[in-house]
Amino acid sequence: MRYPALGTTSVPASEKDYGEVIALLEAGSLPTEDLERSSMAHFLLAHDGSGNVIGAIGVEHYGRDALLRSLVVAPEYRNRKLGTQLVADLEARCRSMAVANLFLLTTSARNFFSSQGYQAIGRESIPAKLLAAAEFTRLCPGSATCMTKSL
C-alpha cells in the first residue's frame, strides 16, 4: 500500500531491518525481548522517502487466529493515518493467509483500535493457544486491554 502524502510504501520486513525495528519499538515503549531477527518475517514496515523505518506492525499466527502485536509509528509521523494504513495492510495480509480472527493487547491504544473495528473482550475469551504467547504470559501487564476483530 502506498502512502502518497509521505512517499512511503508498506513492505515486509527482513532480517536486515531488525536493528531499526527494535529501536522504533523500544522508543514506543513496546516489548522487544522475545523478538529475534527471524521474527522480522512477521512484520510490515513503512519507510519515509529516504528509506528510514517510520512505522511497523507485527503479527503472530496461531492457525486461523493471530495476535496483532507491536504497532508503532515514529512520533513525527503520527496523526497522518499511517497507523491506520499499517493495520489495514496487516489485516489484508492476514485475510490472504486465511486468518479469521485477530487479537491484541494494548495499554494505551484502546481508542485507536476501537476506531479500527476492534472490540474489547475479557481474557477468558482468548483462545488457549494465544494465552501461551509471551505477550500474555510475561510481556504485557494483566491490566492490558484485550481486543479482537473478525476478518
Side-chain angles (χ1 to χ4, degrees):
M1 176 60 66
R2 185 138 176 88
Y3 307 101
L6 300 175
T8 62
T9 304
S10 68
V11 295
S14 69
E15 290 186 15
K16 72 175 181 54
D17 299 307
Y18 181 79
E20 275 189 279
V21 172
I22 294 298
L24 188 60
L25 293 171
E26 288 176 347
S29 300
L30 292 171
T32 61
E33 68 186 59
D34 64 323
L35 295 176
E36 299 175 3
R37 288 189 182 279
S38 61
S39 302
M40 294 300 100
H42 305 287
F43 276 80
L44 289 177
L45 304 180
H47 295 90
D48 65 11
S50 300
N52 300 308
V53 175
I54 59 170
I57 189 169
V59 66
E60 294 177 13
H61 294 274
Y62 296 87
R64 293 198 30 90
D65 296 320
L67 179 62
L68 184 156
R69 62 168 294 162
S70 306
L71 171 63
V72 64
V73 174
E76 60 272 24
Y77 290 96
R78 291 183 185 156
N79 300 313
R80 299 185 192 191
K81 304 290 184 194
L82 186 56
T84 298
Q85 192 60 58
L86 283 167
V87 170
D89 290 353
L90 185 76
E91 289 173 355
R93 186 178 193 192
C94 286
R95 279 186 202 96
S96 74
M97 300 172 89
V99 171
N101 303 294
L102 273 171
F103 296 87
L104 64 89
L105 288 168
T106 183
T107 58
S108 62
R110 180 180 178 155
N111 291 341
F112 170 79
F113 283 108
S114 290
S115 73
Q116 305 306 306
Y118 289 79
Q119 297 179 346
I121 58 172
R123 285 186 184 239
E124 69 279 357
S125 299
I126 302 292
K129 57 191 166 196
L130 270 76
L131 288 174
E135 293 236 343
F136 283 96
T137 60
R138 60 187 168 84
L139 297 178
C140 293
S143 60
T145 300
C146 299
M147 302 185 83
T148 189
K149 182 177 182 178
S150 294
L151 300 178

